[in-house]
C-alpha cells in the first residue's frame, strides 16, 4: 500500500523555537519521489521541496531543512528559528514511480507560531 | 511567469445547479491535474491529463463530474447537478512531465472554494 502518515495533527510553538514536522511513508517501489507543500491561511498550496528515493542527502534552504532516511521511511522537515509567517498547514506527499500520477498526500500538520 | 490560474476563486450555488471550474496551466506544462480538498478526505486526485488526453479519472466521484481539456492551455471541471456534499476546495495543478507516469513537481493553482447550498 502507498501511504503517507503525518502523525502530528497540530503543533504550537513560540517564535524563534525550532520545530520538526514528521513524515513517514509506505511504498514498495524502489523509485519514488517525496514532496513537502505549505498551505498558508490564504489557502494556496506552495511547493517547498522534491526529493527522489536515490538521493538521501539532507537539504537546507535558509531556515528550512529536510532529513530523508530510507531506513526508517521518513522525510522530516525542520524549521529553525520559527516565525509567525511560518504558520500554515504543511503537507508531505509521495509520488511512487509505478503508481502512475497521483500525489499521495498526508493529512497535514497545522503549525501555529505565536509571537 | 504566471502560475496556474483558476477561476472562479469562490463559487456559491444551489443544489441541482451546474458548476464549471476553470484552469489555465503553466505555459509549457503538458500534464494537468484536478484535486479536491475536504476536511474529511484531505487532498485527493480527481483526474489527470497528459498532452490534453485524460489518463487517469479513477478519482472522479461519479457521473455528475466531468472534465475536459480542449487544448494545452485550458481545462474545465464540471459538476452537474451539484450536491451539498460537493462543497470543497478544488485545486488544479500542472507539471512538465515527459511521460505518462509523472514524477515532476506539480505546481498548484490558488483553488476554487465551492459551496453548494
Amino acid at each position: 500500500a502507498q501511504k503517507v502518515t503525518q502523525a502530528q495533527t497540530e503543533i504550537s510553538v513560540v517564535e524563534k523555537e525550532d520545530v520538526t514536522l514528521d513524515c513517514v511513508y509506505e511504498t514498495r517501489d524502489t523509485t519514488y519521489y517525496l514532496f513537502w507543500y505549505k498551505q498558508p491561511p490564504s489557502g494556496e498550496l506552495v511547493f517547498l521541496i522534491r526529493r527522489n528515493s536515490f538521493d538521501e542527502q539532507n537539504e537546507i534552504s535558509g531556515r528550512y531543512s529536510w532529513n530523508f532516511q530510507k531506513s526508517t521511511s521518513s522525510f522530516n522537515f525542520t524549521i529553525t528559528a520559527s516565525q509567525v509567517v511560518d504558520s500554515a498547514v504543511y503537507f508531505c506527499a509521495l509520488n511512487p514511480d509505478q503508481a502512475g500520477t497521483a500525489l499521495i498526500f498526508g493529512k497535514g500538520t497545522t503549525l501555529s507560531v505565536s509571537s | 511567469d504566471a502560475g496556474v490560474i483558476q477561476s472562479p476563486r469562490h463559487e456559491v450555488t444551489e443544489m441541482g445547479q451546474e458548476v464549471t471550474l476553470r484552469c489555465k496551466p503553466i505555459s509549457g506544462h503538458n500534464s494537468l491535474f484536478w484535486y479536491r480538498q475536504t476536511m474529511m478526505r484531505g487532498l485527493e486526485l480527481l483526474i489527470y491529463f497528459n498532452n490534453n488526453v485524460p489518463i487517469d479519472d479513477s478519482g472522479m466521484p461519479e457521473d455528475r463530474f466531468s472534465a475536459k481539456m480542449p487544448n494545452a492551455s485550458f481545462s474545465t471541471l464540471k459538476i452537474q447537478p451539484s450536491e451539498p456534499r460537493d462543497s470543497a476546495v478544488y485545486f488544479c495543478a500542472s507539471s512538465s512531465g515527459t511521460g505518462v507516469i509523472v514524477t515532476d513537481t506539480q505546481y498548484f493553482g490558488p483553488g476554487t472554494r465551492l459551496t453548494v447550498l
Side-chain angles (χ1 to χ4, degrees):
Chain A
Q2 324 276 7
K3 186 180 177 182
V4 174
T5 301
Q6 294 180 256
Q8 305 150 307
T9 306
E10 295 183 15
I11 301 175
S12 295
V13 298
V14 178
E15 257 191 325
K16 299 183 183 177
E17 282 187 40
D18 299 346
V19 58
T20 296
L21 310 182
D22 297 333
C23 173
V24 175
Y25 61 91
E26 294 176 31
T27 180
R28 291 181 181 168
D29 291 357
T30 54
T31 303
Y32 51 89
Y33 298 80
L34 295 163
F35 301 79
W36 277 94
Y37 287 86
K38 174 182 179 180
Q39 188 172 39
S42 51
E44 70 271 26
L45 279 162
V46 179
F47 165 72
L48 295 178
I49 190 171
R50 171 180 182 260
R51 305 294 285 178
N52 72 55
S53 52
F54 297 108
D55 183 1
E56 287 193 71
Q57 272 195 330
N58 290 335
E59 176 109 2
I60 298 175
S61 176
R63 296 184 297 107
Y64 294 173
S65 62
W66 291 269
N67 182 270
F68 176 30
Q69 293 199 353
K70 286 179 77 170
S71 60
T72 55
S73 297
S74 66
F75 186 42
N76 296 337
F77 173 30
T78 297
I79 301 174
T80 303
S82 59
Q83 300 177 1
V84 173
V85 293
D86 296 327
S87 297
V89 182
Y90 290 87
F91 291 95
C92 180
L94 167 69
N95 191 187
D97 194 32
Q98 299 304 314
T101 60
L103 280 174
I104 300 165
F105 284 90
K107 295 296 185 185
T109 296
T110 300
L111 174 64
S112 298
V113 183
S114 57
S115 58
Chain B
D1 285 341
V4 176
I5 299 172
Q6 290 187 247
S7 65
R9 294 293 306 276
H10 302 273
E11 177 80 30
V12 179
T13 190
E14 293 190 349
M15 183 173 63
Q17 297 297 306
E18 177 179 296
V19 175
T20 299
L21 311 182
R22 298 172 176 79
C23 175
K24 177 179 170 57
I26 293 172
S27 178
H29 282 188
N30 63 342
S31 298
L32 184 139
F33 309 80
W34 283 100
Y35 288 85
R36 179 170 67 175
Q37 184 179 31
T38 60
M39 290 295 292
M40 291 296 294
R41 300 174 66 90
L43 277 155
E44 52 184 353
L45 179 74
L46 298 177
I47 188 169
Y48 149 60
F49 293 86
N50 181 261
N51 291 324
N52 313 336
V53 176
I55 303 298
D56 180 2
D57 65 355
S58 58
M60 294 286 265
E62 50 198 90
D63 292 345
R64 297 185 299 106
F65 285 69
S66 63
K68 294 182 179 179
M69 192 165 186
N71 56 62
S73 59
F74 184 65
S75 175
T76 59
L77 177 67
K78 186 177 293 186
I79 308 172
Q80 166 64 21
S82 58
E83 297 182 2
R85 61 191 166 124
D86 301 330
S87 297
V89 180
Y90 291 81
F91 286 101
C92 177
S94 71
S95 74
S96 59
T98 55
V100 173
I101 294 179
V102 176
T103 52
D104 288 337
T105 299
Q106 297 179 24
Y107 294 92
F108 286 75
T112 295
R113 182 174 296 277
L114 173 65
T115 302
V116 183
L117 303 174

